[in-house]
Amino acid sequence: MSALTMSSRLSSDLEKDEEEEEEEEEGESVNPTEVKMSQIVMPCHSNHRQELSVGQLLKWIDSTACLSAERHAGSPCVTASMDDIHFEHTISVGQVVNIKAKVNRAFNTSMEVGIQVSCEDLFSDRHWRVCHAYATFVTQRTNTGKKVILKPIVPQTQKEQVEYSVAAERRRVRMVHDDIIKDLLSHGSVQQADNSAVGNAVAAERTKVESVELVLPPHANHQVNTFGGQIMAWMVNVATIAASRLCQAHPTLRTIDMFTFRGPSQIGDRLLLRAIVNNAFKNSMEVGVRAEAYQEEGPNRHINSAFMTFEVLDDHGKPCLLPRIRPEPLEGERRFQEAIARKKIRLDRKYIISRTQGEAPLSVPWDPTNQVYLSYNNVSALKMLAAQNNWRLSSEKDKVHLYTLEQKSMLSFRVESEVDVPAHRAFSLLAEISNRPSWDTHYRKCELIHQVDDDDFLYRVVTPSVSHGALGSPTSSSQGEGILQDFILLASKRKPCGSGDPYVIALRSVSLPTHPPTEGYNRGEVLCAGFTILETKNNMSLIRYYNQASPEVLPYISTDIAGLSSSFYHTFCSCSQYLTRNRQNVTSEEQTGQYQATNTDSPTCETQVDALSVALHSTQL
């Protein structure tokens, strides 16, 4: 794509985003792990279109991220993995690349580094984002063979707090990434290659590329290991050649899937790089690349495998139609099917995880193949809402506080109070959504549809409609007439990942083919709701309930916010009484801090719940 075409795509929305980012940066303190690199793109860094080659960009990204990791660790670090990278724009010769990296969170011997890449045009004084990536680095052992234990990160700003909190969820997704593809294939969710329909297709064998690179001192880092970015650059090179052989044109790299480095490479190694087009879709193709290292003697060592998605763009920057691919027998068929599975995963990650809350639909279709990403989105959305620092105290009564947060067209609220119940016990009780009707008179029914795994559950909840009953009427929650509301909710619970982390119970709407909207019920939707439970002194808990309110219930919530009602207080008292009554019913596992589901039969709460309770549950606890 030409620089002119690219510039025409930079809309006023991008300029607005840039202004917001600049305002955020001005107020931020300097992070001690932050490393910045700026490079002007010279002809030697570019491809035939005078655009920065992705391989060169990956080298700069890896170097910057490694320096940030080592600044925090105080010891040598190596690249362990890289999350998905989506390249939004190209960069032309003469423009400046700005890379910023900082450690988001340190675990035991590994840490997540967040990387932001932007481009700067020196002649027009414009900036735009190119990509955003997350890399995992691990510390190398000392000379005595001991592991280097990392010190924790202390987030200083709201943005750092969000990244710190959500890093635990991203780590969780990385650990199950390979299993997701296996599950997709084992459940027969992926179509078979239809060879009868691809008579004019290009044989995959024609796209094969094999290349050998000798690792020399300029390719290695200060630890004499081959730069991870250098390996990625070589892999991009062979992948580009394979893609070119299919389309007989110059392709543009759009995404690199999440990948893991399986082992190190040193000076003197020969790197054998193999690439082939696994599958071609309508406007994109996936190329698989495998890197193996070997010495003059000895077996090949598998260093890395990566999957890259390419497009071919016309003169207007639009993707062109691509030829079909005819896979090789046996292994080619497997790669063909796995490419389809990875395409589904890319879509799930892009439209469930990468979208902002305002862009994501309220009820995302749920199926077993996307539950990992929905669970991630569910928990991270609540963590991001909780990390906001501009909450305003609207009212309080007997140490129960109501806070609000106004963001464009969205009104969120938070109710919090400290209860004399251990955090792990409160988590155990509140995570049992099925027990809700025993303490909340507003809940008509709470049915467990499916236990997805130990941490994720699907429920159908039935409540009275918010449109029934007069505003502020104490009888509106107990009326037996009118149309009922129901919700299909994904409940995701998480124990603390580290010291100072809260327990989390997150809820959001999903749509289930087995439970479509039915006559007699208004189907409600929840974007983000749930509890955080933080252990405090003297074995007590600070419980916070969050909800992003949809427009139809704002009048009910504004009644409490304006001080015309104290129903939020009565609702939270009901919750507190339920927890206190069941405080002593602690199992041996809970005494050791382990979660165990309970089925406590509790008497119905006698506290009257009025208008705000209707509002609370119309967007659902």
Side-chain angles (χ1 to χ4, degrees):
M1 188 192 306
S2 66
L4 181 62
T5 305
M6 182 187 68
S7 298
S8 66
R9 293 177 57 188
L10 301 177
S11 63
S12 59
D13 291 337
L14 275 175
E15 292 177 349
K16 186 176 180 181
D17 290 342
E18 291 158 18
E19 291 173 3
E20 291 175 355
E21 288 179 4
E22 286 174 4
E23 288 175 3
E24 288 179 3
E25 289 177 359
E26 286 175 2
E28 288 183 0
S29 59
V30 177
N31 186 304
T33 71
E34 184 173 282
V35 173
K36 294 181 179 180
M37 176 187 287
S38 293
Q39 297 278 358
I40 190 164
V41 180
M42 305 298 288
C44 61
H45 303 139
S46 67
N47 58 21
H48 64 284
R49 288 195 296 259
Q50 297 298 293
E51 295 169 351
L52 175 64
S53 71
V54 173
Q56 180 62 59
L57 178 58
L58 290 171
K59 286 196 243 183
W60 289 338
I61 287 175
D62 186 62
S63 298
T64 310
C66 184
L67 290 173
S68 175
E70 292 186 343
R71 176 175 285 184
H72 178 69
S75 66
C77 297
V78 294
T79 314
S81 68
M82 186 78 72
D83 286 6
D84 297 357
I85 307 177
H86 176 71
F87 300 99
E88 300 176 28
H89 298 287
T90 55
I91 304 170
S92 300
V93 169
Q95 294 175 334
V96 173
V97 180
N98 295 310
I99 304 172
K100 181 169 68 174
K102 60 183 174 180
V103 179
N104 292 330
R105 184 161 186 166
F107 297 97
N108 192 18
T109 58
S110 68
M111 66 200 97
E112 179 190 277
V113 179
I115 307 127
Q116 295 181 8
V117 181
S118 62
C119 183
E120 176 184 356
D121 191 311
L122 298 173
F123 300 100
S124 62
D125 193 29
R126 299 189 66 183
H127 300 75
W128 58 90
R129 187 174 64 181
V130 175
C131 66
H132 189 188
Y134 296 99
T136 301
F137 283 80
V138 295
T139 55
Q140 289 193 317
R141 293 177 182 267
T142 63
N143 294 332
T144 59
K146 290 184 178 180
K147 291 183 177 179
V148 177
I149 304 301
L150 295 168
K151 59 186 177 184
I153 287 287
V154 180
Q156 300 295 327
T157 66
Q158 175 190 333
K159 190 173 181 180
E160 288 177 2
Q161 179 60 50
V162 170
E163 293 287 8
Y164 176 90
S165 184
V166 179
E169 280 302 299
R170 284 192 288 263
R171 184 174 184 238
R172 184 186 181 98
V173 172
R174 290 180 199 117
M175 296 173 69
V176 299
H177 178 69
D178 292 339
D179 293 335
I180 296 171
I181 296 178
K182 293 177 183 176
D183 289 343
L184 275 174
L185 297 171
S186 63
H187 288 93
S189 305
V190 178
Q191 69 191 52
Q192 299 293 320
D194 184 6
N195 290 320
S196 63
V198 290
N200 297 325
V202 176
E205 293 94 326
R206 287 182 53 186
T207 70
K208 272 187 177 180
V209 179
E210 186 172 302
S211 179
V212 176
E213 298 285 352
L214 175 62
V215 180
L216 299 172
H219 305 137
N221 58 22
H222 49 294
Q223 305 157 41
V224 201
N225 290 324
T226 315
F227 265 120
Q230 178 62 70
I231 296 174
M232 288 188 281
W234 283 332
M235 295 176 80
V236 169
N237 180 54
V238 294
T240 304
I241 296 171
S244 300
R245 288 179 176 174
L246 174 70
C247 62
Q248 296 184 329
H250 294 293
T252 298
L253 178 59
R254 279 297 179 219
T255 62
I256 301 177
D257 282 11
M258 180 189 298
F259 62 83
T260 301
F261 283 98
R262 299 170 180 266
S265 167
Q266 293 86 27
I267 292 175
D269 277 347
R270 282 74 168 165
L271 282 187
L272 176 62
L273 304 149
R274 295 190 180 99
I276 190 171
V277 176
N278 292 330
N279 204 334
F281 306 100
K282 184 177 179 181
N283 300 119
S284 65
M285 68 187 101
E286 183 197 273
V287 179
V289 191
R290 180 183 175 96
E292 298 176 351
Y294 66 93
Q295 294 284 346
E296 294 179 1
E297 297 179 358
N300 288 12
R301 309 187 313 274
H302 185 188
I303 297 298
N304 191 7
S305 290
F307 303 96
M308 307 179 189
T309 304
F310 289 84
E311 294 176 343
V312 177
L313 305 178
D314 61 19
D315 295 337
H316 303 287
K318 302 296 183 182
C320 301
L321 189 67
L322 296 175
R324 300 284 298 276
I325 195 80
R326 184 169 63 252
E328 301 172 288
L330 302 177
E331 283 299 299
E333 294 280 355
R334 176 186 61 79
R335 290 194 296 264
F336 185 93
Q337 294 172 42
E338 289 179 353
I340 298 172
R342 280 187 291 269
K343 183 181 181 183
K344 173 177 169 40
I345 290 171
R346 279 193 291 272
L347 290 172
D348 286 343
R349 289 173 66 86
K350 182 177 180 180
Y351 291 103
I352 295 175
I353 291 182
S354 300
R355 290 272 181 117
T356 63
Q357 287 303 103
E359 295 172 331
L362 289 180
S363 294
V364 177
W366 186 92
D367 66 63
T369 65
N370 72 5
Q371 74 91 7
V372 170
Y373 306 111
L374 276 174
S375 178
Y376 168 93
N377 175 271
N378 192 15
V379 175
S380 61
L382 183 62
K383 286 185 172 183
M384 286 190 284
L385 180 62
Q388 297 292 327
N389 61 4
N390 48 345
W391 291 93
R392 297 180 62 183
L393 179 64
S394 292
S395 59
E396 62 178 303
K397 182 178 181 181
D398 295 337
K399 298 183 180 180
V400 178
H401 302 83
L402 173 65
Y403 294 84
T404 58
L405 174 67
E406 297 181 40
Q407 294 175 305
K408 297 181 181 178
S409 60
M410 185 71 69
L411 175 65
S412 303
F413 64 91
R414 179 181 94 205
V415 187
E416 70 174 45
S417 182
E418 194 171 30
V419 298
D420 187 14
V421 178
H424 66 269
R425 182 58 181 161
F427 174 66
S428 172
L429 291 167
L430 292 176
E432 279 297 307
I433 311 296
S434 296
N435 283 348
R436 187 65 178 270
S438 70
W439 63 271
D440 190 336
T441 56
H442 183 74
Y443 262 50
R444 296 291 180 86
K445 183 188 295 185
C446 184
E447 166 195 3
L448 177 63
I449 298 173
H450 177 55
Q451 180 173 339
V452 181
D453 52 32
D454 290 341
D455 296 321
D456 296 283
F457 304 80
L458 292 170
Y459 291 95
R460 178 175 179 263
V461 175
V462 177
T463 71
S465 173
V466 294
S467 61
H468 187 75
L471 181 61
S473 169
T475 62
S476 62
S477 63
S478 58
Q479 292 279 357
E481 303 172 359
I483 299 177
L484 298 174
Q485 273 195 306
D486 69 344
F487 302 82
I488 305 299
L489 297 179
L490 170 65
S492 304
K493 59 186 180 68
R494 298 288 189 271
K495 295 178 187 177
C497 183
S499 177
D501 284 357
Y503 291 88
V504 174
I505 304 165
L507 299 108
R508 66 153 299 151
S509 285
V510 294
S511 57
L512 279 176
T514 55
H515 289 73
T518 56
E519 188 176 353
Y521 293 92
N522 287 326
R523 176 57 54 87
E525 292 184 307
V526 184
L527 179 59
C528 176
F531 291 92
T532 64
I533 306 161
L534 188 64
E535 184 177 350
T536 59
K537 60 183 180 180
N538 300 325
N539 220 16
M540 297 179 69
S541 305
L542 178 63
I543 297 180
R544 290 170 169 161
Y545 167 71
Y546 297 86
N547 203 317
Q548 286 188 329
S550 53
E552 63 267 21
V553 299
L554 291 183
Y556 298 88
I557 296 171
S558 63
T559 302
D560 273 272
I561 293 172
L564 301 177
S565 170
S566 61
S567 56
F568 77 90
Y569 167 76
H570 296 300
T571 304
F572 215 75
C573 283
S574 300
C575 176
S576 179
Q577 290 171 15
Y578 165 71
L579 296 175
T580 304
R581 282 195 304 268
N582 293 278
R583 184 184 193 279
Q584 301 301 325
N585 299 341
V586 182
T587 67
S588 59
E589 287 190 359
E590 284 184 282
Q591 287 173 346
T592 60
Q594 299 298 318
Y595 172 83
Q596 178 171 328
T598 62
N599 292 303
T600 307
D601 294 321
S602 304
T604 302
C605 178
E606 296 177 357
T607 304
Q608 185 66 44
V609 184
D610 56 12
L612 179 63
S613 181
V614 179
L616 288 174
H617 302 108
S618 65
T619 49
Q620 214 41 256
L621 280 174

